[in-house]
């Protein structure tokens, strides 16, 4: 069984899969003592109607046995409560042994997948982790494709 090493989330290494939403390297509009505002860190200009979904994941065996993708929309994964998640991914196109990666998305960042990026339910080593997914309305009804990796794979921390 091949092991996929979890990568530290970095905008450059994540580029084939999507964009990282982070306040790193941005100056906020600020009202001292009241708020910092970081506007327009990611763009969903191709979505007319978005849905926001909440998911809780629990510790489970860290095997990659399945992927899904959505070709009509981007998808955001936004961790909540400061708990991060590990997401297995493959860029748009065919899922191959060499195309599969895994990223740790810390609880203070988020990611937006390019349309067609292969992914599946994130993993956690916490007691549980909550996150929001956001994508085009009706995606789960009319825009889900599935693929399997060439053989089962494990994620290595």
């Amino acid at each position: 069984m091949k092991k996929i090493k979890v990568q530290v989330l970095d905008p450059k290494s994540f580029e084939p899969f999507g964009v990282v939403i982070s306040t790193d390297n941005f100056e906020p509009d600020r009202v001292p003592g009241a708020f910092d505002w970081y506007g327009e860190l990611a763009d969903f200009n191709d979505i007319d109607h978005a849905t926001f979904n909440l998911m809780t994941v629990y510790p489970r065996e860290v095997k990659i046995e399945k992927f899904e993708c959505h070709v009509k929309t981007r998808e955001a994964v936004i961790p909540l409560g400061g708990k991060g998640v590990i997401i297995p991914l493959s860029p748009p196109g065919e899922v191959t042994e060499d195309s599969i990666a895994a990223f740790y998305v810390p609880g203070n960042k988020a990611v937006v997948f390019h349309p067609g990026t292969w992914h599946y339910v994130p993993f956690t080593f916490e007691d549980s982790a909550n996150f929001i997914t956001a994508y085009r309305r009706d995606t789960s009804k009319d825009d889900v494709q599935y693929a399997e990796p060439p053989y089962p794979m494990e994620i290595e921390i």
Side-chain angles (χ1 to χ4, degrees):
M1 182 172 298
K2 182 175 178 173
K3 294 188 178 200
I4 304 298
K5 182 101 173 129
V6 174
Q7 299 179 48
V8 174
L9 189 63
D10 166 84
K12 188 73 175 156
S13 59
F14 196 78
E15 231 171 58
F17 312 98
V19 297
V20 175
I21 300 175
S22 168
T23 58
D24 298 346
N25 305 316
F26 288 93
E27 284 297 317
D29 291 332
R30 175 172 278 164
V31 174
F35 65 83
D36 292 342
W37 168 255
Y38 298 87
E40 300 183 16
L41 297 179
D43 194 347
F44 274 77
N45 61 349
D46 57 344
I47 297 176
D48 291 333
H49 295 90
T51 61
F52 290 81
N53 315 278
L54 181 62
M55 180 176 251
T56 301
V57 291
Y58 303 93
R60 64 189 197 279
E61 190 173 8
V62 190
K63 281 188 177 176
I64 305 169
E65 297 176 330
K66 189 181 204 180
F67 285 98
E68 70 177 44
C69 79
H70 318 293
V71 296
K72 298 177 185 177
T73 187
R74 293 177 173 90
E75 179 174 340
V77 175
I78 307 162
L80 299 171
K83 294 180 181 180
V85 293
I86 296 167
I87 305 174
L89 299 161
S90 184
E94 184 180 353
V95 177
T96 66
E97 176 182 340
D98 295 330
S99 71
I100 297 171
F103 287 88
Y104 174 70
V105 180
N108 66 341
K109 295 186 175 163
V111 293
V112 179
F113 307 145
H114 297 309
T117 294
W118 296 96
H119 60 285
Y120 203 60
V121 176
F123 296 93
T124 186
F125 291 104
E126 306 276 354
D127 57 341
S128 65
N130 295 305
F131 58 94
I132 291 172
T133 62
Y135 44 66
R136 181 188 60 84
R137 183 175 56 196
D138 293 330
T139 291
S140 60
K141 296 176 187 166
D142 69 5
D143 188 23
V144 180
Q145 298 177 24
Y146 295 99
E148 294 180 6
Y151 46 83
M153 298 181 169
E154 290 183 341
I155 294 176
E156 181 179 17
I157 304 301

